[in-house]
């Protein structure tokens, strides 16, 4: 029994809603995965704010038809497609998918779309190699802290240097007056 027209329209509306909340959409070839393996993939992606959606390519095509931001996705709609819709931390999401792919060796990354640009597998891999948001914030905080420490040490050194200079001048004057 096939899906009704209302059911298909509901699926397209859900896909549009998910895409509107996403910053990155990845397309993977999922043929050959068991239900348990797809469940495992979804479990790995959940902490990163990513959803794994399996939908017919025609329904995804209809969902992206009116949105220029997601238009390049149409090039990737072939075969058995699963869509990883990343809301925030794309680096962690890509790493979670790569870990899953290494474990199962059954999926293949076709590519993705981010900010209206088509990304090939190498581009997605490069995005995955970027540090996560938390790591970047830690690096920035460390750099700011190091700078503040250097400034504090420099400011603290001014009175000490001035005191040493005054001491040297005083000693020199005492030496001159003793002669």
């Amino acid at each position: 029994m096939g899906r009704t027209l209302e059911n298909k329209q509901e699926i397209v509306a859900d896909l549009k809603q998910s895409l509107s909340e996403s910053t990155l959409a990845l397309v993977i070839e999922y043929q050959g995965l068991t239900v348990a393996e797809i469940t495992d993939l979804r479990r790995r992606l959940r902490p990163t704010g990513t959803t794994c959606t399996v939908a017919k390519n025609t329904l995804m095509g209809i969902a992206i038809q009116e949105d220029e931001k997601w238009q390049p996705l149409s090039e990737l709609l072939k075969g058995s497609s699963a869509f990883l819709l990343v809301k925030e931390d794309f680096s962690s999401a890509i790493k979670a998918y790569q870990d899953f792919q290494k474990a199962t060796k059954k999926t293949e990354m076709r590519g993705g779309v981010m900010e209206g640009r088509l990304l090939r597998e190498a581009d997605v891999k490069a995005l995955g190699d970027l540090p996560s948001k938390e790591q970047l914030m830690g690096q920035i905080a460390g750099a700011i802290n190091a700078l503040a420490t250097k400034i504090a040490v420099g400011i603290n050194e001014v009175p000490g240097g001035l005191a040493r200079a005054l001491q040297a001048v005083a000693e020199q004057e005492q030496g001159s007056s003793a002669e």
Side-chain angles (χ1 to χ4, degrees), residues 21-159:
E21 298 169 355
S22 301
T23 57
L24 171 68
L26 301 173
V27 182
I28 62 169
E29 175 77 35
Y30 79 97
Q31 192 168 9
L33 288 181
T34 64
V35 172
E37 289 168 333
I38 288 185
T39 304
D40 180 42
L41 174 60
R42 287 180 172 144
R43 183 188 53 76
R44 290 177 191 232
L45 293 171
R46 194 171 298 124
T48 68
T50 303
T51 56
C52 176
T53 305
V54 176
K56 287 192 168 280
N57 291 332
T58 52
L59 296 179
M60 181 57 87
I62 293 168
I64 64 172
Q65 204 167 29
E66 297 166 5
D67 193 347
E68 284 190 34
K69 179 180 169 184
W70 300 110
Q71 285 283 312
L73 203 59
S74 61
E75 293 182 36
L76 304 172
L77 300 179
K78 57 182 183 275
S80 302
S81 302
F83 304 94
L84 308 183
L85 304 175
V86 184
K87 289 183 175 69
E88 290 178 16
D89 191 4
F90 55 83
S91 180
S92 296
I94 293 169
K95 287 175 184 166
Y97 166 72
Q98 288 172 338
D99 290 344
F100 171 80
Q101 204 282 327
K102 284 179 190 170
T104 61
K105 294 181 177 45
K106 289 184 179 179
T107 62
E108 182 182 318
M109 172 72 63
R110 280 198 210 126
V113 174
M114 183 178 197
E115 296 176 1
R117 292 183 49 214
L118 182 67
L119 305 173
R120 295 293 172 197
E121 187 176 0
D123 302 326
V124 173
K125 187 173 180 342
L127 279 176
D129 292 339
L130 292 174
S132 69
K133 188 162 78 172
E134 289 79 18
Q135 289 171 324
L136 282 174
M137 288 172 33
Q139 290 172 355
I140 291 170
I144 290 171
N145 191 21
L147 180 63
T149 302
K150 287 180 181 177
I151 289 172
V153 167
I155 290 172
N156 197 24
E157 200 57 38
V158 170

